[in-house]
Amino acid sequence: MIMEITPFLNRELSEPLYSQLYHWIKKEIEEGRLLHGMKMPSIRQLATHLKVSRNTVVTAYQQLESEGYLESVPKSGIWVAEIEKAALHPMEKVIPVRQEWKSSNETLINFEYGNIDLEKFPLKLWKKCISDVVSQNNNWLFEYGEKQGEFSLRQEISKYLLQSRGVHCTPEQIIITSGTQNSISLICHLLNLQQEKVAIEEPGYNGVRNVFENEGCHMEPVPLEKDGLSLEHVHLSKAKAVYITPSHQFPFGMILSISKRIKLLNWAYQTGGYIIEDDYDSEFRYKGQPIPSLKSLDEEERVIYLGTFSKSFLPSIRLSYMVLPPSLLDQYTQNFRNYNQSASPIIQRAMALFMESGEFERHIRRMRKKYQRKHQTLIKSIEQNMGSKVRIIGEDAGLHILLKLNTVSCFELIETALQKGVQVHSPLKFWLHPTSESHPYIMLGFGGLSIEEIEKGIQLLASCLP
Amino acid sequence: MIMEITPFLNRELSEPLYSQLYHWIKKEIEEGRLLHGMKMPSIRQLATHLKVSRNTVVTAYQQLESEGYLESVPKSGIWVAEIEKAALHPMEKVIPVRQEWKSSNETLINFEYGNIDLEKFPLKLWKKCISDVVSQNNNWLFEYGEKQGEFSLRQEISKYLLQSRGVHCTPEQIIITSGTQNSISLICHLLNLQQEKVAIEEPGYNGVRNVFENEGCHMEPVPLEKDGLSLEHVHLSKAKAVYITPSHQFPFGMILSISKRIKLLNWAYQTGGYIIEDDYDSEFRYKGQPIPSLKSLDEEERVIYLGTFSKSFLPSIRLSYMVLPPSLLDQYTQNFRNYNQSASPIIQRAMALFMESGEFERHIRRMRKKYQRKHQTLIKSIEQNMGSKVRIIGEDAGLHILLKLNTVSCFELIETALQKGVQVHSPLKFWLHPTSESHPYIMLGFGGLSIEEIEKGIQLLASCLP
C-alpha cells in the first residue's frame, strides 16, 4: 500500500525542512505508525503533496535510508524497513518540541531585511586575512584576548570613525562586542538602566527592544515625525536614556534633522540622560548631505555611539562596537572587570588586518555604488509597476525601504505574493504597541538580491496588487 | 644634550608597552616638554633604563619617526623633530585615562591560570577547517546564522557529550554562546534570577559571580567541604539556583561526591530550584574514576549543563555552549526570540568540521596525556623542592593546583618570586568574602608552560620560601 503522509513542516523554524521531514518520518516509524513493509510515497508525490522541493524529500529519504529506517528497492520504490526497537538510541526519545526560528530559503525571491550583497564580496582577501592571523606568532591564539577587544582592531575603528563619521575617539574608548544586542546589554548594566525608563522609537528595532525588556527596563515608545523622533515626547517620557537610529531610522528611514539633534543633545545635557546612537547602516547613504553624527556633536559626553560590521561587511563575523565617553570608562572597568571579551580574537584580528590593508574602505565604496544601483532599480520598478497603489517610504539610505499599501492589507499581499514565489514581510513586529495605523506597510530589504531578482520580484509583487 | 626620560609604563595594562611608550613620548613632545633639537636616549640606553626589551623601544621610536615626531640621523642618533602645532590631531587631546587590564607577557615564567598548551596544537588542521568553511557554498556567510547556533556544531556537541560525559541531549537543547559568561547572562534572564538568591561556591569562579552580580542576583556563598559544596548550606540558602563546578571545583579542585550529587539533585527536585553545572575542564582528569555529570543523573529536568571549548580547544575561539532541559525550551524561545547568535558562524562551522573529522577527540586525548605529564612534573617538583613548606590542593584534575603556604604569606611570596622572574597569583579574588583563611594560598596554572619551565619555575619559587 502507498500511504498519504502529512507531516507539519514549519517554514518559520530554524531547522531545515528536510530535517523536519526526516525527524517526523523517523518518529512515525519509531512509534509504530509507519510499519515495516509499507511503501512510502515517491519523491515527486511527496514533494508535490507537501509543496517542498524534490531536494528536500531526497535529502530526508537519504538520511533515513542511511540510518536503516527506509529501504530503497530499485524499480519498486521506497519502503519502510524493519527496525529493531533495541537499536533505537535512548536520546531519540526526548526530542523536544522544536523551538527555533529562521526564514525558509526555499522561496524564489525573498525581500528579507538583513541580507547583504555577496557577489562582489572580497572573499579571497578576507580568507587570506583569517589565514594570515592564524599563522602569525600565535601566543594570542592560546589566550582569551583583550577584555575590551584587540587593540589593533580598536585602532582601526578609531581611524575609520574619524574619517567616515567625524567621531573623535581613542582606541581606549572603544569596546568590541559580539553584536549590537551585546552592546545594549552591557550599556544597561553600565548605566544601571534596570527598572528605569528608556525611550525608544515607535516603531523601532525589536532586537534591541527585546534586550531592554529582558534587562528589566521600562519601554517608553516615542512617536516619529517627518524629521525623526518627537522631542516633545522624549521630554515627557522622563527617560534616563534614549535609544535612537538617527542616520536612518529603523524601519521608517527618516533622518533626524540637525535641529532635532541639537535639541536631543540639549535634553541630555539638561536631564543628565544618555543618548544611545545606533549608526547601523550609515555607510549607505544615497541622497543629500551627510548629517553629523550625534556623537560628533556631543560636547558633554552624553552620547554612546554604536556601530556594527554586519551591514558594512559581514553579519556572520558577529562583530560590533561601542564608543564610550571617557567619563564612563572608570565605571565600565569597575562593572566588567572580570568579563572576558565575547568576540573571537581570530575574527577581530582578521578584521583589523583587512582594515589596515585599505580594502575595507574600498569595499564600502564599491558596496555603496552597488547598493545604490539596486536601490534605484527598486524605486524605479516600484514606480513603474505599482504607481499610485503604493507610497515609498525611507528612500534616502540603507538596505531597505517601506511600502505603504493603498489598496490591500499587508497580510493579503504577503499571502498572495508567497504563492507567486515572492516573500515579503510586515514590519508590524517593530511596533511595541501596533495599532491599525501599523498595518498598511510592507518592508522590502534588497541587500541580498540581484538587480534581476529585484525587477522580477517587484513585477510579481505588483501583479498581486488589486 | 641627552636627556633622561622616565615614562611610567604599567605592565598591568592591556596596552602594549611599546604603545604606552609611544603615547608618553608623543605627549611630551606635543605638550612641549621634549623640544625640537633634543637628543633622545639610544635604544639600548632606554631599554636598559626602563627594563623593557629593545624591541619595545624600537617599535615606539619607529612609530614616532613615521609620524614625524622623531628624526633618526645616521651616525648621530635620534632627535626630537620640529612639529607644527596645527598638525596635531584634535583627537589626541582627549586621550582618556587607560582603563584596561591584562597580565604582562614579559615575566620569565608565568603560572597564570587559563593559558593552554600550544606546542602540540593541530594548528594546520584548524587553519584548514577555517579556510574550508569560508570556501564552502557561501550563502550562510552573508547571513546572521542560526539563533541557537549552527545546527552542525550542535549535532557534534550532542554526540560528544553523550560519549564523553554521558549527557543525553538533542541538538535542539543546545545553545551556542560566546563564552560561559554569555551563558550565565542568558540563564539569569531565562530563569528570572534578577533579585533572586543564587548559591555559589565560596571560593568560586569570579568571572561568573561578576555576571550574577551585574544581573542583580543576590549571592549566597556556600562553603566547601572535602567532598564539595556543603549541602546543608545550600538548603539554608533558600536559593532559586545553584552554580557549581562539580567535576573539578574552581579553584579548590575537589570533586563533588556521588552522594552529594544525589542530594543536590534532590534539593532541586524538592525546592524546584535549578542546578547550573559548569563542566569547564572535565576533559582533563588524571586520577580516579570519572563521576557521572549531574546532568546525566538528572531525572526531573533541573540541571542546566555548561561546557566550553576554552580549555579543551582554544580560548580565542570564544565558544561555549549550554544544554537546556526540554521543559525550558519554550521559555527560551519566548525570551530570546529576537536575539541574534553572538558567536561567529565562521568559527562555529570550523569547529563543527574539526569535530566531524575526529581530530577533536584525538586532540583531547593527546592533550590529556600532555597535561598529565606536566601535572606530574609540577607535583614532583613541588614535593622535591618545597617539602613540608607547602600543601598541594586539588591535584586530581584540571590545569591548575593550589598551594597552601605554611611558612610565608602569599603576598610576600608573590613579591619575591616576581623579582626572580616567576609570576604566581593569589586566588584571593575568588572569594566573595575573603577572610584570613583565604590568605595562605597561591594558584599555579600550568597549561601554557613547558615541562622545563615548570621545573625551573618551581625551583625558583622554592628558593623564595623561607
Side-chain angles (χ1 to χ4, degrees):
Chain A
M1 58 173 283
I2 296 185
M3 61 222 136
E4 176 108 329
I5 71 173
T6 309
F8 174 66
L9 302 185
N10 187 342
R11 282 157 210 272
E12 294 296 310
L13 296 182
S14 133
E15 190 188 8
L17 292 178
Y18 80 84
S19 174
Q20 294 185 38
L21 181 59
Y22 156 81
H23 280 288
W24 187 87
I25 296 175
K26 188 168 161 185
K27 205 172 168 213
E28 292 295 292
I29 295 175
E30 285 177 4
E31 298 182 357
R33 287 184 294 275
L34 290 180
L35 293 168
H36 173 53
M38 284 176 167
K39 189 174 182 182
M40 297 294 290
S42 75
I43 288 160
R44 185 195 308 247
Q45 285 170 337
L46 190 54
T48 311
H49 177 56
L50 299 178
K51 297 193 184 62
V52 297
S53 78
R54 293 181 58 180
N55 254 344
T56 301
V57 181
V58 169
T59 312
Y61 274 13
Q62 278 176 348
Q63 181 69 16
L64 289 159
E65 250 186 85
S66 74
E67 295 181 14
Y69 289 92
L70 296 181
E71 272 176 310
S72 171
V73 181
K75 297 192 186 167
S76 158
I78 295 151
W79 301 80
V80 177
E82 191 166 12
I83 52 162
E84 282 182 50
K85 278 283 169 207
L88 298 177
H89 206 290
M91 70 182 278
E92 305 302 347
K93 301 216 168 117
V94 287
I95 294 180
V97 181
R98 296 173 177 281
Q99 291 295 350
E100 309 185 14
W101 335 245
K102 206 179 98 187
S103 72
S104 152
N105 292 319
E106 309 226 348
T107 324
L108 195 56
I109 297 170
N110 191 345
F111 282 95
E112 188 176 6
Y113 175 73
N115 296 340
I116 62 168
D117 188 275
L118 35 72
E119 201 193 336
K120 295 263 166 160
F121 185 81
L123 194 57
K124 220 169 141 184
L125 185 65
W126 171 239
K127 269 179 68 174
K128 190 174 175 313
C129 288
I130 297 189
S131 177
D132 283 357
V133 295
V134 179
S135 306
Q136 280 168 2
N137 173 350
N138 281 306
N139 268 5
W140 62 267
L141 201 57
F142 298 88
E143 295 169 0
Y144 282 75
E146 296 186 48
K147 298 199 180 215
Q148 281 190 211
E150 299 298 295
F151 198 78
S152 58
L153 178 60
R154 290 185 282 140
Q155 268 178 319
E156 291 302 318
I157 291 172
S158 99
K159 284 187 224 160
Y160 171 75
L161 286 178
L162 181 60
Q163 275 197 338
S164 71
R165 301 296 293 135
V167 171
H168 289 258
C169 67
T170 65
E172 291 78 10
Q173 288 173 259
I174 297 175
I175 321 279
I176 307 293
T177 66
S178 54
T180 295
Q181 294 177 318
N182 183 201
S183 302
I184 294 289
S185 171
L186 292 169
I187 290 170
C188 286
H189 294 299
L190 179 61
L191 304 181
N192 287 314
L193 296 180
Q194 301 92 335
Q195 308 306 322
E196 299 283 349
K197 289 178 177 173
V198 175
I200 53 168
E201 297 158 315
E202 173 80 336
Y205 176 35
N206 59 335
V208 156
R209 199 171 64 221
N210 199 177
V211 178
F212 280 125
E213 285 166 347
N214 275 334
E215 299 292 348
C217 305
H218 301 301
M219 299 287 88
E220 293 288 329
V222 173
L224 299 171
E225 294 158 357
K226 265 208 168 148
D227 57 348
L229 213 57
S230 158
L231 262 295
E232 248 176 83
H233 283 81
V234 171
H235 276 281
L236 289 172
S237 73
K238 308 267 180 211
K240 203 171 159 186
V242 176
Y243 167 83
I244 185 170
T245 50
S247 303
H248 184 230
Q249 201 278 331
F250 187 87
F252 261 77
M254 69 272 282
I255 292 160
L256 192 71
S257 65
I258 185 78
S259 70
K260 281 202 169 172
R261 283 173 199 244
I262 306 291
K263 283 183 193 155
L264 186 59
L265 286 164
N266 282 331
W267 164 83
Y269 301 161
Q270 285 159 21
T271 65
Y274 278 97
I275 299 167
I276 304 164
E277 175 178 32
D278 187 353
D279 217 19
Y280 67 107
D281 71 353
S282 61
E283 287 83 359
F284 306 118
R285 138 163 310 287
Y286 313 121
K287 275 188 193 169
Q289 286 297 307
I291 293 184
S293 62
L294 285 162
K295 181 76 189 172
S296 69
L297 298 169
D298 177 21
E299 291 176 347
E300 300 190 13
E301 308 203 356
R302 307 315 297 175
V303 177
I304 297 175
Y305 179 92
L306 307 185
T308 177
F309 291 105
S310 292
K311 311 293 172 225
S312 59
F313 192 61
L314 273 184
S316 66
I317 63 171
R318 310 305 305 117
L319 217 50
S320 296
Y321 51 88
M322 54 181 174
V323 181
L324 296 181
S327 51
L328 283 176
L329 288 175
D330 260 346
Q331 190 62 44
Y332 186 87
T333 312
Q334 181 56 29
N335 281 14
F336 304 109
R337 62 195 177 282
N338 299 315
Y339 276 53
N340 290 310
Q341 169 58 230
S342 64
S344 167
I346 299 172
I347 300 283
Q348 291 183 60
R349 284 175 179 243
M351 193 67 218
L353 211 59
F354 191 85
M355 292 176 90
E356 269 164 44
S357 75
E359 190 57 30
F360 181 61
E361 283 184 53
R362 282 192 288 279
H363 171 65
I364 291 205
R365 279 199 297 274
R366 270 199 306 269
M367 285 296 115
R368 192 183 294 126
K369 273 191 204 151
K370 217 165 150 47
Y371 287 137
Q372 183 151 33
R373 278 186 50 220
K374 291 185 183 189
H375 183 262
Q376 283 168 350
T377 304
L378 180 67
I379 302 292
K380 215 174 111 190
S381 299
I382 292 170
E383 287 169 351
Q384 284 176 351
N385 292 285
M386 302 183 175
S388 63
K389 294 176 184 171
V390 299
R391 189 157 65 79
I392 298 168
I393 293 169
E395 61 190 286
D396 292 346
L399 304 179
H400 76 277
I401 58 162
L402 290 191
L403 283 189
K404 183 164 187 184
L405 307 170
N406 295 331
T407 60
V408 64
S409 88
C410 74
F411 303 111
E412 275 174 72
L413 181 60
I414 288 166
E415 190 66 29
T416 48
L418 202 56
Q419 284 160 18
K420 300 209 176 184
V422 178
Q423 199 163 357
V424 294
H425 306 265
S426 160
L428 203 60
K429 62 185 172 189
F430 301 123
W431 271 267
L432 177 60
H433 303 302
T435 65
S436 60
E437 304 239 317
S438 331
H439 282 196
Y441 298 98
I442 61 167
M443 184 164 187
L444 300 177
F446 58 88
L449 296 175
S450 69
I451 295 276
E452 294 69 36
E453 286 173 321
I454 292 172
E455 284 173 340
K456 175 113 191 274
I458 293 301
Q459 280 163 16
L460 287 169
L461 199 61
S463 72
C464 305
L465 289 176
Chain B
M1 58 172 287
I2 296 185
M3 63 221 133
E4 175 108 329
I5 70 173
T6 309
F8 174 65
L9 303 185
N10 187 341
R11 283 156 210 272
E12 294 294 310
L13 296 182
S14 133
E15 189 187 9
L17 292 177
Y18 80 85
S19 174
Q20 295 185 38
L21 182 58
Y22 156 81
H23 280 288
W24 187 87
I25 296 175
K26 189 169 162 184
K27 205 171 169 211
E28 292 295 291
I29 295 174
E30 286 177 2
E31 299 183 356
R33 287 183 294 274
L34 290 181
L35 294 168
H36 173 54
M38 284 178 169
K39 188 175 184 183
M40 297 294 289
S42 75
I43 288 159
R44 187 194 308 245
Q45 283 169 336
L46 191 54
T48 310
H49 177 56
L50 299 177
K51 296 193 184 63
V52 298
S53 77
R54 293 180 56 179
N55 254 344
T56 300
V57 181
V58 168
T59 313
Y61 274 14
Q62 278 177 347
Q63 181 68 18
L64 289 159
E65 250 186 82
S66 72
E67 296 181 13
Y69 289 90
L70 295 181
E71 272 177 310
S72 172
V73 181
K75 295 190 190 170
S76 160
I78 296 152
W79 300 80
V80 177
E82 191 168 12
I83 51 161
E84 283 182 49
K85 277 285 168 205
L88 297 177
H89 208 288
M91 69 181 279
E92 305 304 343
K93 302 215 170 118
V94 286
I95 294 179
V97 181
R98 297 174 177 283
Q99 292 294 351
E100 309 185 16
W101 337 243
K102 207 180 97 185
S103 70
S104 150
N105 292 318
E106 309 227 347
T107 325
L108 193 56
I109 298 171
N110 190 346
F111 281 95
E112 189 177 5
Y113 175 73
N115 297 340
I116 62 168
D117 188 276
L118 36 70
E119 198 194 336
K120 294 262 166 160
F121 186 80
L123 194 59
K124 220 169 140 184
L125 185 65
W126 171 239
K127 269 179 67 174
K128 190 175 176 311
C129 287
I130 296 190
S131 178
D132 283 357
V133 296
V134 179
S135 307
Q136 279 168 5
N137 173 350
N138 282 308
N139 269 4
W140 61 267
L141 202 57
F142 298 87
E143 295 169 0
Y144 282 75
E146 295 187 47
K147 297 199 181 216
Q148 283 191 209
E150 299 298 293
F151 199 77
S152 58
L153 178 60
R154 290 186 280 139
Q155 268 177 320
E156 290 302 318
I157 291 172
S158 101
K159 282 187 224 160
Y160 171 74
L161 286 179
L162 182 59
Q163 274 195 340
S164 72
R165 301 297 292 136
V167 171
H168 290 257
C169 67
T170 64
E172 291 78 9
Q173 288 172 262
I174 297 175
I175 321 281
I176 306 293
T177 66
S178 53
T180 295
Q181 294 177 317
N182 182 203
S183 302
I184 294 288
S185 171
L186 292 169
I187 289 169
C188 286
H189 295 299
L190 179 62
L191 303 181
N192 287 314
L193 295 180
Q194 302 92 333
Q195 309 306 323
E196 300 283 349
K197 289 178 177 173
V198 175
I200 54 168
E201 297 158 314
E202 174 80 336
Y205 176 34
N206 59 334
V208 156
R209 198 172 64 221
N210 199 177
V211 179
F212 281 125
E213 284 166 348
N214 275 334
E215 298 293 347
C217 306
H218 301 300
M219 298 287 90
E220 292 289 328
V222 173
L224 299 172
E225 295 159 356
K226 266 208 166 148
D227 57 348
L229 212 59
S230 158
L231 262 295
E232 249 177 82
H233 283 82
V234 171
H235 276 280
L236 289 172
S237 74
K238 308 267 179 213
K240 204 171 159 186
V242 176
Y243 167 82
I244 185 170
T245 50
S247 302
H248 183 230
Q249 201 278 332
F250 188 87
F252 262 76
M254 69 272 283
I255 292 159
L256 193 70
S257 66
I258 184 79
S259 71
K260 281 200 169 172
R261 284 174 197 241
I262 306 291
K263 282 181 192 158
L264 186 60
L265 286 164
N266 282 331
W267 164 84
Y269 301 160
Q270 284 159 20
T271 65
Y274 278 96
I275 299 166
I276 304 165
E277 176 179 31
D278 187 354
D279 217 19
Y280 66 108
D281 72 353
S282 61
E283 287 84 359
F284 306 119
R285 136 165 312 286
Y286 314 121
K287 274 187 194 170
Q289 286 296 308
I291 293 184
S293 63
L294 284 161
K295 180 78 187 170
S296 69
L297 297 168
D298 178 20
E299 292 177 345
E300 300 189 13
E301 307 203 357
R302 308 313 299 176
V303 177
I304 297 175
Y305 178 94
L306 308 185
T308 178
F309 290 106
S310 293
K311 309 294 172 222
S312 58
F313 193 60
L314 274 184
S316 66
I317 62 172
R318 309 307 304 119
L319 216 51
S320 296
Y321 51 88
M322 56 182 170
V323 181
L324 295 180
S327 51
L328 283 176
L329 288 176
D330 260 347
Q331 190 62 44
Y332 186 87
T333 312
Q334 181 56 30
N335 282 13
F336 305 109
R337 61 195 178 281
N338 299 316
Y339 276 54
N340 290 311
Q341 170 57 230
S342 64
S344 166
I346 299 172
I347 300 282
Q348 291 183 60
R349 283 175 180 245
M351 194 67 218
L353 210 60
F354 191 85
M355 292 176 90
E356 268 165 44
S357 75
E359 190 58 29
F360 181 62
E361 283 185 53
R362 281 191 289 278
H363 171 66
I364 291 204
R365 279 199 297 274
R366 268 198 306 271
M367 285 297 116
R368 192 182 295 126
K369 272 189 207 156
K370 217 164 150 47
Y371 288 137
Q372 183 151 34
R373 277 185 50 219
K374 291 186 182 188
H375 183 263
Q376 283 168 352
T377 303
L378 179 66
I379 302 291
K380 215 173 111 190
S381 297
I382 292 170
E383 287 170 352
Q384 284 176 351
N385 292 285
M386 303 185 174
S388 63
K389 295 175 182 169
V390 301
R391 190 158 63 78
I392 299 169
I393 293 169
E395 61 189 285
D396 292 344
L399 304 179
H400 76 278
I401 58 162
L402 290 190
L403 282 189
K404 184 164 187 184
L405 307 170
N406 295 331
T407 61
V408 65
S409 87
C410 72
F411 304 111
E412 275 174 73
L413 182 59
I414 288 167
E415 190 66 29
T416 49
L418 202 56
Q419 285 161 17
K420 301 208 174 184
V422 178
Q423 198 163 357
V424 293
H425 306 265
S426 160
L428 202 61
K429 63 183 173 190
F430 302 123
W431 271 267
L432 177 59
H433 303 302
T435 65
S436 61
E437 304 238 318
S438 330
H439 282 195
Y441 298 98
I442 61 166
M443 184 163 185
L444 301 176
F446 58 87
L449 296 176
S450 69
I451 295 276
E452 294 68 35
E453 286 173 319
I454 292 172
E455 284 172 341
K456 177 114 188 271
I458 293 301
Q459 279 164 17
L460 287 169
L461 199 62
S463 72
C464 305
L465 290 176

